[in-house]
Amino acid sequence: MAIRNLRYGDDEILRKKAREIEEIDDKIKTLAEDMMDTMHKYDGVGLAGPQVGILKRIIVIDLGEENTQYILINPIIKKQKGEQIVDEGCLSFPNQYGKVKRPKTIVVEALDINGKKVRIEGKDLLAQALSHEIDHLNGEVFVNKVEEGTLENISDKELEERRKQK
Ligand code: NI
């Protein structure tokens, strides 16, 4: 288990497009495990390569329920439908929250950690998470997508309080 350093806020790497992964070798497998550990450590539901300084097309998601853990390599959005306005945050912007428009349902194709092609049909929170994490691979961050006037800045102290309530 290894926790990677997160990249935050204005870090340029968060605005760059990530590259396709050509081979799922041991380095990628270790990266995937570390990303999962890092996401869990910081109580996130998703994390993308660039957020740990790796400009590669890999995302991890864990919605905290059974069978909601995903490691996806080279994910592609095949379909998205409807919309939902959701309260959103991001591990790279720990003090900011805002309302973002996301698809209500989404279909994503990707490779799993064994290189097998997978197709995921997500709705609600899973659709939001997939949309948010795939945005990261394209250098897009949620703070640029928030509905006008809804971006909240939260102090470290308030953040601590919210964590305790959970
Ligand atoms: Ni994020």
Side-chain angles (χ1 to χ4, degrees):
M1 170 162 168
I3 304 300
R4 305 256 176 148
N5 288 327
L6 285 175
R7 302 300 189 96
Y8 295 105
D10 292 333
D11 195 315
E12 265 183 34
I13 203 163
L14 296 174
R15 272 83 180 169
K16 288 185 178 163
K17 198 173 150 84
R19 289 182 295 274
E20 289 236 331
I21 291 172
E22 278 159 29
E23 193 196 341
I24 303 168
D25 55 15
D26 287 350
K27 240 177 125 175
I28 295 293
K29 289 182 181 175
T30 302
L31 171 65
E33 280 172 25
D34 290 355
M35 283 173 65
M36 204 52 101
D37 292 342
T38 306
M39 173 180 72
H40 286 144
K41 177 173 163 71
Y42 294 104
D43 288 330
V45 297
L47 192 68
Q51 292 182 277
V52 291
I54 306 288
L55 259 190
K56 290 188 173 155
R57 302 188 81 79
I58 178 170
I59 63 174
V60 298
I61 288 174
D62 187 352
L63 303 185
E65 289 158 31
E66 240 178 286
N67 300 320
T68 54
Q69 222 182 56
Y70 301 92
I71 295 169
L72 300 175
I73 290 159
N74 301 337
I76 293 170
I77 296 173
K78 302 301 273 188
K79 253 189 248 173
Q80 41 189 341
K81 257 168 74 179
E83 58 181 52
Q84 51 175 336
I85 307 282
V86 284
D87 276 316
E88 203 164 292
C90 176
L91 292 182
S92 292
F93 299 86
N95 296 73
Q96 293 186 298
Y97 288 87
K99 292 200 184 301
V100 182
K101 199 185 284 177
R102 295 288 177 193
K104 183 79 178 154
T105 64
I106 198 168
V107 177
V108 170
E109 283 182 2
L111 298 176
D112 70 11
I113 197 65
N114 300 310
K116 196 177 139 225
K117 206 169 168 182
V118 291
R119 183 180 163 94
I120 294 157
E121 296 180 23
K123 60 175 184 156
D124 302 327
L125 181 59
L126 182 55
Q128 176 191 359
L130 286 163
S131 173
H132 178 113
E133 300 312 328
I134 292 171
D135 270 358
H136 272 301
L137 302 182
N138 296 322
E140 288 176 37
V141 288
F142 94 101
V143 287
N144 295 337
K145 285 199 160 181
V146 292
E147 303 278 305
E148 220 185 311
T150 69
L151 192 66
E152 266 187 282
N153 286 292
I154 292 165
S155 69
D156 287 338
K157 207 180 147 205
E158 282 174 278
L159 205 62
E160 199 61 34
E161 289 299 315
R162 286 192 185 201
R163 286 229 172 96
K164 273 188 217 148
Q165 283 168 17
K166 255 209 272 181

mmCIF file of all heavy atoms in Angstrom, residues 48-70:
data_model
loop_
_atom_site.group_PDB
_atom_site.id
_atom_site.type_symbol
_atom_site.label_atom_id
_atom_site.label_comp_id
_atom_site.label_asym_id
_atom_site.label_seq_id
_atom_site.Cartn_x
_atom_site.Cartn_y
_atom_site.Cartn_z
ATOM 1 N N ALA A 48 -8.214 10.457 -10.695
ATOM 2 C CA ALA A 48 -7.696 10.276 -12.051
ATOM 3 C C ALA A 48 -6.178 10.436 -12.058
ATOM 4 O O ALA A 48 -5.619 11.171 -11.225
ATOM 5 C CB ALA A 48 -8.329 11.316 -12.984
ATOM 6 N N GLY A 49 -5.503 9.761 -12.979
ATOM 7 C CA GLY A 49 -4.051 9.795 -13.083
ATOM 8 C C GLY A 49 -3.407 11.153 -12.837
ATOM 9 O O GLY A 49 -2.487 11.268 -12.005
ATOM 10 N N PRO A 50 -3.846 12.195 -13.564
ATOM 11 C CA PRO A 50 -3.190 13.505 -13.404
ATOM 12 C C PRO A 50 -3.200 14.020 -11.964
ATOM 13 O O PRO A 50 -2.301 14.767 -11.565
ATOM 14 C CB PRO A 50 -4.023 14.425 -14.308
ATOM 15 C CG PRO A 50 -4.611 13.507 -15.335
ATOM 16 C CD PRO A 50 -4.862 12.205 -14.633
ATOM 17 N N GLN A 51 -4.180 13.592 -11.172
ATOM 18 C CA GLN A 51 -4.260 14.060 -9.785
ATOM 19 C C GLN A 51 -3.155 13.505 -8.900
ATOM 20 O O GLN A 51 -2.930 14.019 -7.800
ATOM 21 C CB GLN A 51 -5.621 13.682 -9.179
ATOM 22 C CG GLN A 51 -6.781 14.435 -9.813
ATOM 23 C CD GLN A 51 -8.080 14.056 -9.137
ATOM 24 O OE1 GLN A 51 -8.666 13.050 -9.459
ATOM 25 N NE2 GLN A 51 -8.499 14.848 -8.165
ATOM 26 N N VAL A 52 -2.497 12.441 -9.376
ATOM 27 C CA VAL A 52 -1.311 11.967 -8.651
ATOM 28 C C VAL A 52 -0.050 12.205 -9.495
ATOM 29 O O VAL A 52 0.974 11.549 -9.308
ATOM 30 C CB VAL A 52 -1.420 10.477 -8.224
ATOM 31 C CG1 VAL A 52 -2.480 10.311 -7.139
ATOM 32 C CG2 VAL A 52 -1.723 9.564 -9.404
ATOM 33 N N GLY A 53 -0.171 13.126 -10.455
ATOM 34 C CA GLY A 53 1.008 13.541 -11.222
ATOM 35 C C GLY A 53 1.345 12.627 -12.387
ATOM 36 O O GLY A 53 2.433 12.734 -12.952
ATOM 37 N N ILE A 54 0.440 11.725 -12.745
ATOM 38 C CA ILE A 54 0.698 10.800 -13.848
ATOM 39 C C ILE A 54 -0.255 11.121 -14.993
ATOM 40 O O ILE A 54 -1.470 10.930 -14.888
ATOM 41 C CB ILE A 54 0.480 9.327 -13.404
ATOM 42 C CG1 ILE A 54 1.294 8.993 -12.155
ATOM 43 C CG2 ILE A 54 0.785 8.371 -14.566
ATOM 44 C CD1 ILE A 54 2.786 8.883 -12.358
ATOM 45 N N LEU A 55 0.323 11.587 -16.103
ATOM 46 C CA LEU A 55 -0.520 12.022 -17.238
ATOM 47 C C LEU A 55 -0.920 10.836 -18.105
ATOM 48 O O LEU A 55 -0.561 10.769 -19.277
ATOM 49 C CB LEU A 55 0.250 13.039 -18.076
ATOM 50 C CG LEU A 55 -0.083 14.515 -17.884
ATOM 51 C CD1 LEU A 55 0.591 15.351 -18.963
ATOM 52 C CD2 LEU A 55 -1.585 14.800 -17.863
ATOM 53 N N LYS A 56 -1.621 9.908 -17.496
ATOM 54 C CA LYS A 56 -2.060 8.721 -18.223
ATOM 55 C C LYS A 56 -3.544 8.504 -18.000
ATOM 56 O O LYS A 56 -4.078 8.875 -16.955
ATOM 57 C CB LYS A 56 -1.268 7.492 -17.767
ATOM 58 C CG LYS A 56 0.152 7.569 -18.223
ATOM 59 C CD LYS A 56 0.906 6.299 -17.970
ATOM 60 C CE LYS A 56 2.282 6.425 -18.635
ATOM 61 N NZ LYS A 56 3.274 5.582 -18.015
ATOM 62 N N ARG A 57 -4.173 7.866 -19.000
ATOM 63 C CA ARG A 57 -5.632 7.733 -18.976
ATOM 64 C C ARG A 57 -6.060 6.550 -18.097
ATOM 65 O O ARG A 57 -6.356 5.471 -18.557
ATOM 66 C CB ARG A 57 -6.188 7.624 -20.394
ATOM 67 C CG ARG A 57 -5.797 8.837 -21.244
ATOM 68 C CD ARG A 57 -6.473 8.867 -22.588
ATOM 69 N NE ARG A 57 -7.821 9.396 -22.529
ATOM 70 C CZ ARG A 57 -8.138 10.676 -22.467
ATOM 71 N NH1 ARG A 57 -7.198 11.613 -22.439
ATOM 72 N NH2 ARG A 57 -9.398 11.038 -22.436
ATOM 73 N N ILE A 58 -6.077 6.812 -16.812
ATOM 74 C CA ILE A 58 -6.531 5.827 -15.836
ATOM 75 C C ILE A 58 -7.336 6.534 -14.755
ATOM 76 O O ILE A 58 -6.958 7.627 -14.323
ATOM 77 C CB ILE A 58 -5.335 5.039 -15.230
ATOM 78 C CG1 ILE A 58 -5.813 4.050 -14.170
ATOM 79 C CG2 ILE A 58 -4.284 5.983 -14.671
ATOM 80 C CD1 ILE A 58 -4.740 3.065 -13.699
ATOM 81 N N ILE A 59 -8.463 5.910 -14.396
ATOM 82 C CA ILE A 59 -9.281 6.460 -13.309
ATOM 83 C C ILE A 59 -9.674 5.333 -12.354
ATOM 84 O O ILE A 59 -9.740 4.168 -12.755
ATOM 85 C CB ILE A 59 -10.570 7.163 -13.829
ATOM 86 C CG1 ILE A 59 -11.495 6.177 -14.548
ATOM 87 C CG2 ILE A 59 -10.218 8.325 -14.741
ATOM 88 C CD1 ILE A 59 -12.845 6.786 -14.953
ATOM 89 N N VAL A 60 -9.901 5.711 -11.107
ATOM 90 C CA VAL A 60 -10.460 4.756 -10.149
ATOM 91 C C VAL A 60 -11.685 5.403 -9.517
ATOM 92 O O VAL A 60 -11.753 6.631 -9.354
ATOM 93 C CB VAL A 60 -9.437 4.341 -9.055
ATOM 94 C CG1 VAL A 60 -8.245 3.641 -9.665
ATOM 95 C CG2 VAL A 60 -8.974 5.540 -8.234
ATOM 96 N N ILE A 61 -12.649 4.541 -9.195
ATOM 97 C CA ILE A 61 -13.897 5.005 -8.587
ATOM 98 C C ILE A 61 -14.289 4.004 -7.515
ATOM 99 O O ILE A 61 -14.110 2.797 -7.694
ATOM 100 C CB ILE A 61 -15.021 5.114 -9.657
ATOM 101 C CG1 ILE A 61 -14.764 6.310 -10.586
ATOM 102 C CG2 ILE A 61 -16.408 5.236 -9.006
ATOM 103 C CD1 ILE A 61 -15.720 6.410 -11.751
ATOM 104 N N ASP A 62 -14.815 4.509 -6.400
ATOM 105 C CA ASP A 62 -15.414 3.643 -5.394
ATOM 106 C C ASP A 62 -16.559 4.406 -4.745
ATOM 107 O O ASP A 62 -16.340 5.381 -4.042
ATOM 108 C CB ASP A 62 -14.367 3.236 -4.345
ATOM 109 C CG ASP A 62 -14.921 2.192 -3.382
ATOM 110 O OD1 ASP A 62 -16.141 1.910 -3.435
ATOM 111 O OD2 ASP A 62 -14.130 1.644 -2.596
ATOM 112 N N LEU A 63 -17.772 3.943 -5.015
ATOM 113 C CA LEU A 63 -18.940 4.638 -4.471
ATOM 114 C C LEU A 63 -19.263 4.182 -3.047
ATOM 115 O O LEU A 63 -20.237 4.634 -2.451
ATOM 116 C CB LEU A 63 -20.156 4.425 -5.373
ATOM 117 C CG LEU A 63 -19.986 4.853 -6.842
ATOM 118 C CD1 LEU A 63 -21.313 4.689 -7.576
ATOM 119 C CD2 LEU A 63 -19.484 6.269 -6.978
ATOM 120 N N GLY A 64 -18.441 3.272 -2.530
ATOM 121 C CA GLY A 64 -18.610 2.881 -1.133
ATOM 122 C C GLY A 64 -19.679 1.830 -0.896
ATOM 123 O O GLY A 64 -20.021 1.525 0.241
ATOM 124 N N GLU A 65 -20.243 1.296 -1.966
ATOM 125 C CA GLU A 65 -21.195 0.200 -1.806
ATOM 126 C C GLU A 65 -20.633 -1.040 -2.484
ATOM 127 O O GLU A 65 -19.605 -0.973 -3.140
ATOM 128 C CB GLU A 65 -22.533 0.574 -2.458
ATOM 129 C CG GLU A 65 -23.273 1.651 -1.683
ATOM 130 C CD GLU A 65 -24.286 2.382 -2.549
ATOM 131 O OE1 GLU A 65 -24.819 1.749 -3.471
ATOM 132 O OE2 GLU A 65 -24.500 3.576 -2.300
ATOM 133 N N GLU A 66 -21.349 -2.128 -2.340
ATOM 134 C CA GLU A 66 -20.878 -3.373 -2.943
ATOM 135 C C GLU A 66 -20.801 -3.246 -4.465
ATOM 136 O O GLU A 66 -21.696 -2.671 -5.097
ATOM 137 C CB GLU A 66 -21.845 -4.503 -2.579
ATOM 138 C CG GLU A 66 -21.166 -5.627 -1.805
ATOM 139 C CD GLU A 66 -22.161 -6.692 -1.429
ATOM 140 O OE1 GLU A 66 -22.951 -6.423 -0.504
ATOM 141 O OE2 GLU A 66 -22.154 -7.741 -2.081
ATOM 142 N N ASN A 67 -19.776 -3.827 -5.031
ATOM 143 C CA ASN A 67 -19.622 -3.831 -6.498
ATOM 144 C C ASN A 67 -19.644 -2.447 -7.140
ATOM 145 O O ASN A 67 -20.193 -2.268 -8.216
ATOM 146 C CB ASN A 67 -20.710 -4.691 -7.164
ATOM 147 C CG ASN A 67 -20.627 -6.126 -6.683
ATOM 148 O OD1 ASN A 67 -19.535 -6.671 -6.515
ATOM 149 N ND2 ASN A 67 -21.765 -6.722 -6.456
ATOM 150 N N THR A 68 -19.091 -1.472 -6.450
ATOM 151 C CA THR A 68 -19.049 -0.144 -7.061
ATOM 152 C C THR A 68 -17.610 0.355 -7.131
ATOM 153 O O THR A 68 -17.344 1.544 -7.149
ATOM 154 C CB THR A 68 -19.897 0.881 -6.277
ATOM 155 O OG1 THR A 68 -19.479 0.889 -4.914
ATOM 156 C CG2 THR A 68 -21.371 0.539 -6.367
ATOM 157 N N GLN A 69 -16.671 -0.596 -7.159
ATOM 158 C CA GLN A 69 -15.264 -0.234 -7.263
ATOM 159 C C GLN A 69 -14.795 -0.485 -8.693
ATOM 160 O O GLN A 69 -14.997 -1.585 -9.223
ATOM 161 C CB GLN A 69 -14.479 -1.127 -6.304
ATOM 162 C CG GLN A 69 -13.414 -0.351 -5.557
ATOM 163 C CD GLN A 69 -12.602 -1.235 -4.631
ATOM 164 O OE1 GLN A 69 -12.020 -2.215 -5.054
ATOM 165 N NE2 GLN A 69 -12.571 -0.860 -3.360
ATOM 166 N N TYR A 70 -14.203 0.533 -9.290
ATOM 167 C CA TYR A 70 -13.764 0.403 -10.680
ATOM 168 C C TYR A 70 -12.342 0.904 -10.864
ATOM 169 O O TYR A 70 -11.958 1.935 -10.310
ATOM 170 C CB TYR A 70 -14.657 1.241 -11.617
ATOM 171 C CG TYR A 70 -16.117 0.878 -11.581
ATOM 172 C CD1 TYR A 70 -16.982 1.529 -10.704
ATOM 173 C CD2 TYR A 70 -16.630 -0.109 -12.415
ATOM 174 C CE1 TYR A 70 -18.331 1.202 -10.664
ATOM 175 C CE2 TYR A 70 -17.980 -0.439 -12.389
ATOM 176 C CZ TYR A 70 -18.821 0.218 -11.505
ATOM 177 O OH TYR A 70 -20.151 -0.111 -11.466
#
